[in-house]
Structures are given as structure tokens and as C-alpha cells.
Amino acid sequence: MSAIYGIVGDAEGSELERMGQRLAHRGSAVAEWSPAPTVLFGRRIRDENGSGLSAPSVPVAFDGFIDYRSALADALGLRPEEACEDPTLVFAVYRTLGPDGLSRIRGQFGVAIYDAKSRTLL
């Protein structure tokens, strides 16, 4: 089992790092990033194949899986390379359909999305 975690508000990266260390039992691969000055996200997964973990290019912390992802990407009019990673697909749903559009995503997952425009965390 893996984990996503984060801090919103005045905090330092060292606080997020300590939070992630307390979740070490969730996996050895760690990615921590800041999608906005007062928002810090982190993710831990098991790294069974040694490939590591990188931060997504969108302001989304995601863990889990999406069922029927290719059909969802097609419905949004996305090319395969635009929806190759789950956080990118989730952000495309949010950007295109708004918060209510997230109900169209089927699967088992946890997600946090930072909307810089409205300065909100969902």
C-alpha cells in the first residue's frame, strides 16, 4: 500500500519530509513537490522494480488506479500522450469538467488537486 500526503499553509519542505519519513512503511520511493508557494505534496510507493518515483507535471497528488482510462481520455478528446499518467488524466478531467466531473472517474484512488486559479485544494 502506498500513500499521498501534504501540507497547505505556511510550512517548510523539511516538515513535509518528516511527514513522509513517518510513512516509510508505505514504500521506499518518494516524490515531494510544491505546486504553489503554500502547498506541498508528497507520495510514497513500494519500488519493487527500482524505477524510482518522480513528481507529476500537474498540481495533483494521486495514488491508485483508474478503470477504463483510455475511454475516459477519448471522451475528453485527449491524445494518448496527453493522458499517459493518472495525475495528468485526473487534472484534465478537473480542468475540462470541473469538480463535478471527477464523479466520472471510476477506480480505487486517493487524490488531492490544487487549483491555483481559485487558490483552493480539493
Side-chain angles (χ1 to χ4, degrees):
M1 184 175 290
S2 49
I4 59 173
Y5 52 98
I7 302 172
V8 176
D10 293 330
E12 295 180 7
S14 61
E15 292 177 74
L16 186 72
E17 185 178 334
R18 286 192 305 273
M19 184 183 291
Q21 288 169 349
R22 287 190 295 274
L23 295 166
H25 62 285
R26 299 293 186 162
S28 61
V30 180
E32 295 178 339
W33 67 101
S34 178
T38 60
V39 180
L40 300 168
F41 284 158
R43 182 173 182 218
R44 274 195 172 264
I45 64 168
R46 288 198 173 125
D47 191 15
E48 295 162 353
N49 60 9
S51 62
L53 185 63
S54 61
S57 60
V58 293
V60 175
F62 180 92
D63 183 53
F65 62 88
I66 298 174
D67 295 334
Y68 79 95
R69 60 181 289 95
S70 59
L72 183 59
D74 288 344
L76 294 171
L78 298 174
R79 297 184 310 269
E81 65 273 10
E82 292 176 302
C84 61
E85 296 182 355
D86 289 338
T88 304
L89 183 55
V90 168
F91 193 61
V93 169
Y94 177 76
R95 195 176 55 228
T96 304
L97 304 173
D100 292 337
L102 297 174
S103 67
R104 296 183 62 181
I105 302 173
R106 300 286 181 253
Q108 296 180 14
F109 57 88
V111 64
I113 302 171
Y114 181 71
D115 185 328
K117 192 175 195 177
S118 65
R119 297 181 63 190
T120 58
L121 179 69
L122 175 68

